[in-house]
Amino acid sequence: MFKNYLSLSFRRLFRNKFHTSINLIGLVIGFTIGLVVLLAVYGQFTFDKNHVNRDKIYQVYQVFHKAKGDEIGNTFGFPAAERFKAEAPAIDKSTRFLYGSNAVLYKEKEVDITTMLVDEDFLHMFTFPVVKGNAANPLSNLSNIIITEKTAEIAFGNEDPIGKTIRLPFGDELKEMIVSAVIKDIPKNSSFRFGALARTEVRPDYTVDKTNWNNQHHPVFVQLKETGTVQQAEQQLRTINQKYLTEWSASLKREGAIPDKKGDLFTTHLLSLKDVHFSPRINNIGNSVNKAELVAMLAISLLIILIACFNFVNINLANAFTRSKEIGVRKCLGAAKDSLFLQLWSESFIICSIAFVFSLVLTNIIVGIIQRQSPSNMPLDELLWNPGYLLMTFGLLLLVSFIAGGYPSWLMAKLKVVETLKGKISLKRKSIARSSLIVMQFVIACIMISSTLIIYSQFKFLQNADLGVNKEYVIVIPFHKPEKGLSNIEKLRSRLSSNPAIISLTGSSVNIGLGKDGITTKMTNRFGYKDREINTNLAYIDYDYLKTFDIKPIEGKDIDLSYAADSLPHVLLTESVAKQFNEKQIAGQKIVIDSSSPAWNIVGVIPDFHMYSMREAKEPVALVMNKNERVRYCFIKTNAQNKVAVMEAVKNEMAILEPGREFKGSFMDDNINNWYKQEKMMSIMLSIAAVIAIVLSCMGLLAMVLLIIQQRVKEIGVRKVLGAGVPHISYLISKEFLVLVLIAVLIATPISWLAMNKWLQSFAYRIDISIWMFILVAAIALLFAFITICYNTMKAAVANPVKSLRTE
């Protein structure tokens, strides 16, 4: 019986090649998009699942209830992790996670390895299996260091690394460390990325800052006890805040902060490790994604599949009435409804299965291309054959086959025998089900087109917005050794001074934009001044900073060459920092930040500018020139007569300063664009989806027009004989479908406006949604629909009526 069903199904499919092709192409496109997106999303949800204690580990963060709105803080000072563990009974373990060094020296060899600094609890909290060495407590000694298998291979080759001494550079100091353990390589789907681990206490500034809560530069993770709850821990952290951070509350109160229900002006919260990867505003340890964007990706792929399904349903519904006599004969010969449904649904399942197989092949090819282009990304090729993923894809196949084939098969199976044999069943000119599906297709397509226009407009707005600095023709170079940053900048000044294309050079510990090194740095500080608390971000700079970025001081002047030899820290304050002092004139004053450090000499006040992305409002920044601080980036202002030649000249000089190191120079405007690569990718993804959606919708519309024309051949012939012209006949056939497209536009417009307006609210600076965008969407949808309908209606209208009437 099953063999008979297959034989009949294949015969029927090959007999209707055109409609089978439309169904097959639509489903292949839909399935391929669905499988690729599902794989990408599935991969994101595998992040950090390797940790055994995952359900008990949390990242600590703070929320400041400021008058202008809540602000999130995700970094802490050195004492925080220790106090949380010691004074919060619900917390069992804690660890800091901060940058240590980017090189490891063994004998005469230096290799690029990122060492992160953690606490003794780190390997007891997170699951990074030890494969060699001390598995019980590999960080029990301050001189111990843990390395990954890859690091061991790069640094030691075939030697056994356990017990070997390596050196870590910290500024001008080299610390000797003993390898105590080797752990497995870090999974690609891990938020934690490092090549080696050492204790936090080895950092040079630890001794000075170990009791300083105000100098915040690292995230903190805690693990709760088996009986501990999040509510208990957060209440205990509240008590710790009241004990150690009373001045923070006083400062926030003076600034007009709004207390919460408990009367707190700032609160400390816990974010589960399961959610860290999906919390970009809190996560500061690795790449993160917005869960809403993943949901949007899934929704887009499912909508594409739905459009393909709607095509399938519409075509099958239309074909159902051309098979009415066949169904009637089968019923007369004793075929039951169940067997008829199974026979008819098997045809749909065969098409879906063929499309599914083609889609798996295409998905494998696409994944291979992605892996070759981005080898450091998640192992999508491995996830593709993961049993969990394959089970989901098979479920998708069954779901689509039931959606696309189930309803038409059920409708055909329940047709009445007498009516089918008498030929009383025919395709209705107006069908609510058919019209609804066409409208839904174009609603989806219009939403995608309008969303693409709005997202792209927002991306271009962010890309071209005024940051408060001149970003044009500025080269950015990340230094391999930030501790030598200032001396390297001075050497570059000397070497490039004769190049007429170079205008000025400066440096900073913070990049503006996201460069080829992929590092984003943010450092905050709080200090007292008279009776108030000053809050600011910090960046350590070299002189000529304002000159390089064309920033005009409001008060005072730039830090220029005359300050270069001075050992006193010199500072430029942005306007929002200066206002916190509540002084008529702040430039020229010296302020004590820390009694153990030299006073700051405030040289000038400058307008606020965007040191960070325009997703957030401008933040206060203090630019400090201190000869003892690390400067990671060099900024070179050029006249851009020949960008390629200038970049090549800089590259040659860097090869002398940092021999054997990869040159990662880039232009600042490219780096700023990298801030908004998510918006750019969303606009690209949506534009592709929109094109596919409108093409699939038009394919379905084409099939429906042909079926309608086929059913109305006699009517068209009669109308022509009675004198109807070609425009009149084309209008009669087209108007019904164009009205449906217009209805789809009217439905899609408010939905798109509401969704995109909500999305734009996440940006501090955003575009206004304009009516012209929706007018353009309507024009595109109607134009595509008209082109699809026009050719076939014109063809039917000019056909010889004698031939059609004679046939009838």
Side-chain angles (χ1 to χ4, degrees):
M1 180 66 75
F2 183 70
K3 183 179 179 181
N4 182 49
Y5 283 166
L6 285 178
S7 176
L8 289 172
S9 299
F10 275 110
R11 192 182 307 161
R12 177 75 188 178
L13 294 175
F14 280 110
R15 191 182 303 148
N16 297 286
K17 293 184 180 65
F18 177 75
H19 294 135
T20 300
S21 299
I22 287 182
N23 281 336
L24 195 59
I25 292 170
L27 287 172
V28 167
I29 293 171
F31 269 134
T32 302
I33 291 173
L35 293 177
V36 171
V37 172
L38 185 62
L39 181 65
V41 173
Y42 178 76
Q44 295 294 340
F45 279 94
T46 64
F47 260 73
D48 301 320
K49 280 195 171 183
N50 59 302
H51 303 296
V52 175
N53 301 320
R54 185 168 175 254
D55 293 338
K56 281 290 182 180
I57 298 175
Y58 297 84
Q59 182 175 352
V60 187
Y61 69 99
Q62 292 170 321
V63 178
F64 300 92
H65 308 301
K66 295 192 174 182
K68 61 183 180 181
D70 285 351
E71 289 185 6
I72 289 178
N74 55 12
T75 56
F76 292 85
F78 282 127
E82 294 175 344
R83 292 302 91 209
F84 293 164
K85 179 181 176 180
E87 300 186 27
I91 293 175
D92 185 28
K93 298 178 179 67
S94 69
T95 184
R96 294 160 282 209
F97 189 78
L98 67 158
Y99 173 80
S101 170
N102 62 353
V104 168
L105 288 80
Y106 176 61
K107 295 181 179 177
E108 301 302 318
K109 186 196 310 186
E110 180 179 350
V111 291
D112 294 338
I113 299 295
T114 299
T115 300
M116 298 302 292
L117 304 181
V118 297
D119 293 309
E120 197 173 350
D121 282 341
F122 184 83
L123 283 192
H124 298 296
M125 294 170 60
F126 299 99
T127 306
F128 294 108
V130 174
V131 295
K132 187 181 292 186
N134 182 357
N137 200 0
L139 289 175
S140 58
N141 194 299
L142 291 184
S143 62
N144 288 350
I145 188 169
I146 302 167
I147 61 176
T148 64
E149 291 176 306
K150 185 176 180 181
T151 299
E153 181 184 347
I154 295 172
F156 296 95
N158 296 324
E159 291 184 57
D160 183 357
I162 302 300
K164 295 288 194 308
T165 299
I166 60 177
R167 290 166 293 160
L168 292 183
F170 288 99
D172 295 327
E173 180 184 357
L174 286 174
K175 285 189 178 288
E176 291 192 345
M177 313 291 292
I178 299 171
V179 179
S180 60
V182 177
I183 61 173
K184 280 188 177 181
D185 286 331
I186 311 304
K188 289 185 177 180
N189 53 354
S190 173
S191 297
F192 299 88
R193 312 301 307 174
F194 54 85
L197 293 172
R199 287 279 291 273
T200 306
E201 292 88 341
V202 303
R203 185 162 150 145
D205 58 347
Y206 180 80
T207 303
V208 175
D209 273 348
K210 66 181 180 180
T211 60
N212 184 357
W213 288 79
N214 294 329
N215 198 0
Q216 301 165 287
H217 38 51
H218 64 269
V220 170
F221 291 86
V222 298
Q223 181 177 320
L224 301 187
K225 293 178 180 177
E226 288 300 323
T227 56
T229 66
V230 172
Q231 292 75 18
Q232 290 172 346
E234 289 184 346
Q235 179 58 38
Q236 291 157 10
L237 292 175
R238 179 173 182 258
T239 304
I240 294 172
N241 290 341
Q242 293 171 343
K243 180 178 179 180
Y244 294 100
L245 300 172
T246 53
E247 71 276 12
W248 286 17
S249 295
S251 173
L252 288 166
K253 186 176 182 179
R254 285 191 295 269
E255 294 172 10
I258 302 170
D260 62 11
K261 293 178 181 179
K262 292 183 178 181
D264 295 327
L265 297 175
F266 74 98
T267 50
T268 303
H269 298 280
L270 301 181
L271 176 71
S272 174
L273 181 61
K274 294 182 289 186
D275 298 321
V276 165
H277 182 62
F278 306 107
S279 305
R281 293 188 67 190
I282 298 172
N283 178 357
N284 56 345
I285 58 171
N287 291 330
S288 58
V289 295
N290 191 320
K291 191 176 283 188
E293 291 180 4
L294 294 181
V295 172
M297 287 173 60
L298 270 180
I300 289 168
S301 63
L302 290 176
L303 290 174
I304 295 291
I305 294 173
L306 270 180
I307 291 176
C309 289
F310 292 162
N311 281 351
F312 202 115
V313 171
N314 258 342
I315 292 170
N316 282 4
L317 278 175
N319 277 327
F321 300 100
T322 66
R323 300 180 65 180
S324 59
K325 290 184 179 179
E326 174 195 342
I327 302 300
V329 170
R330 288 191 178 203
K331 285 196 169 188
C332 282
L333 294 176
K337 286 184 180 180
D338 293 345
S339 61
L340 277 173
F341 173 82
L342 188 60
Q343 163 64 37
L344 297 169
W345 176 74
S346 65
E347 294 178 13
S348 302
F349 185 74
I350 287 170
I351 292 182
C352 290
S353 298
I354 293 171
F356 184 75
V357 171
F358 274 114
S359 299
L360 271 179
V361 173
L362 286 173
T363 300
N364 194 44
I365 293 170
I366 292 169
V367 166
I369 293 171
I370 292 172
Q371 291 297 108
R372 286 193 295 273
Q373 295 294 326
S374 305
S376 61
N377 286 349
M378 288 182 301
L380 295 178
D381 49 349
E382 297 173 15
L383 291 173
L384 181 60
W385 306 111
N386 182 284
Y389 173 72
L390 290 177
L391 187 63
M392 284 191 291
T393 59
F394 185 70
L396 181 64
L397 168 61
L398 291 177
L399 179 65
V400 169
S401 65
F402 273 110
I403 291 174
Y407 174 66
S409 300
W410 171 79
L411 185 66
M412 292 163 69
K414 78 181 191 72
L415 293 176
K416 294 179 180 179
V417 179
V418 177
E419 291 181 350
T420 57
L421 292 177
K422 286 183 178 180
K424 292 185 178 180
I425 305 295
S426 61
L427 181 61
K428 297 178 182 178
R429 285 178 54 182
K430 292 184 179 180
S431 165
I432 294 176
R434 186 179 69 241
S435 298
S436 299
L437 291 175
I438 291 173
V439 169
M440 288 174 69
Q441 283 182 309
F442 277 93
V443 165
I444 294 168
C446 291
I447 290 173
M448 289 184 182
I449 295 170
S450 55
S451 299
T452 300
L453 285 173
I454 293 168
I455 291 173
Y456 181 74
S457 299
Q458 175 67 9
F459 166 68
K460 295 302 290 183
F461 170 75
L462 295 174
Q463 187 182 39
N464 299 321
D466 182 12
L467 299 177
V469 298
N470 188 346
K471 63 183 180 180
E472 299 298 324
Y473 314 124
V474 176
I475 296 174
V476 184
I477 307 167
F479 289 126
H480 175 67
K481 293 183 177 180
E483 61 273 12
K484 295 184 178 180
L486 290 172
S487 63
N488 280 343
I489 291 172
E490 198 53 46
K491 290 174 183 176
L492 283 173
R493 279 196 183 100
S494 176
R495 292 175 180 275
L496 294 171
S497 59
S498 60
N499 191 324
I502 305 298
I503 298 173
S504 66
L505 283 83
T506 191
S508 175
S509 60
V510 178
N511 195 2
I512 300 179
L514 188 63
K516 291 183 178 179
D517 61 342
I519 295 175
T520 299
T521 307
K522 193 169 189 178
M523 187 175 177
T524 61
N525 203 345
R526 295 170 180 269
F527 56 89
Y529 177 78
K530 295 183 178 178
D531 61 341
R532 61 188 62 249
E533 189 86 6
I534 309 298
N535 305 310
T536 182
N537 293 313
L538 283 181
Y540 294 104
I541 63 167
D542 195 12
Y543 65 86
D544 282 351
Y545 193 89
L546 302 190
K547 177 182 177 182
T548 303
F549 291 118
D550 292 340
I551 301 174
K552 305 300 180 185
I554 299 171
E555 182 184 330
K557 61 176 185 175
D558 190 6
I559 300 174
D560 55 28
L561 180 61
S562 63
Y563 294 95
D566 200 339
S567 59
L568 188 70
H570 300 289
V571 187
L572 293 166
L573 301 178
T574 59
E575 198 171 4
S576 56
V577 182
K579 285 179 179 178
Q580 295 179 51
F581 288 90
N582 198 27
E583 299 282 358
K584 288 184 179 180
Q585 183 173 346
I586 192 70
Q589 294 194 34
K590 291 181 173 58
I591 57 173
V592 177
I593 304 302
D594 187 337
S595 58
S596 62
S597 304
W600 282 4
N601 174 38
I602 301 178
V603 176
V605 177
I606 61 174
D608 288 328
F609 67 95
H610 285 281
M611 181 167 278
Y612 300 100
S613 139
M614 286 185 67
R615 290 190 187 90
E616 306 292 339
K618 294 175 182 175
E619 297 183 18
V621 179
L623 304 172
V624 184
M625 191 182 86
N626 188 338
K627 293 176 66 175
N628 299 319
E629 292 295 342
R630 297 148 62 100
V631 171
R632 183 179 292 275
Y633 300 96
C634 176
F635 300 97
I636 304 176
K637 179 72 174 179
T638 73
N639 60 20
Q641 290 180 355
N642 190 332
K643 292 174 70 173
V644 176
V646 175
M647 184 66 83
E648 191 63 29
V650 173
K651 182 178 179 180
N652 292 336
E653 295 301 334
M654 286 301 298
I656 298 171
L657 289 178
E658 294 186 346
R661 303 293 178 188
E662 180 186 358
F663 178 69
K664 294 184 177 180
S666 56
F667 281 94
M668 186 172 162
D669 49 2
D670 294 330
N671 296 347
I672 289 169
N673 291 342
N674 288 338
W675 269 341
Y676 313 114
K677 59 184 178 182
Q678 285 187 354
E679 286 72 31
K680 184 178 181 180
M681 285 304 300
M682 276 187 68
S683 65
I684 292 172
M685 179 183 72
L686 267 174
S687 61
I688 294 171
V691 170
I692 292 171
I694 199 73
V695 168
L696 287 179
S697 300
C698 289
M699 284 172 61
L701 191 60
L702 172 63
M704 288 308 304
V705 169
L706 291 175
L707 282 166
I708 292 292
I709 290 172
Q710 183 183 345
Q711 292 290 316
R712 299 176 69 179
V713 167
K714 185 176 180 180
E715 177 193 341
I716 293 169
V718 171
R719 287 181 180 276
K720 287 200 70 176
V721 170
L722 293 176
V726 172
H728 177 71
I729 293 173
S730 298
Y731 169 74
L732 283 174
I733 301 172
S734 304
K735 69 174 184 178
E736 175 186 338
F737 295 104
L738 291 176
V739 167
L740 293 178
V741 175
L742 186 59
I743 291 170
V745 171
L746 295 175
I747 294 172
T749 297
I751 296 173
S752 298
W753 187 89
L754 289 171
M756 287 293 98
N757 189 58
K758 185 176 181 180
W759 177 76
L760 286 170
Q761 299 308 309
S762 62
F763 295 87
Y765 306 91
R766 51 187 177 267
I767 61 167
D768 293 321
I769 299 177
S770 176
I771 189 64
W772 72 261
M773 296 179 177
F774 299 108
I775 294 173
L776 181 60
V777 170
I780 291 171
L782 288 168
L783 178 63
F784 272 88
F786 179 76
I787 292 171
T788 302
I789 297 166
C790 184
Y791 173 74
N792 292 289
T793 54
M794 292 287 289
K795 187 177 178 182
V798 300
N800 188 350
V802 175
K803 188 175 180 181
S804 61
L805 292 175
R806 182 184 297 162
T807 303
E808 291 295 320

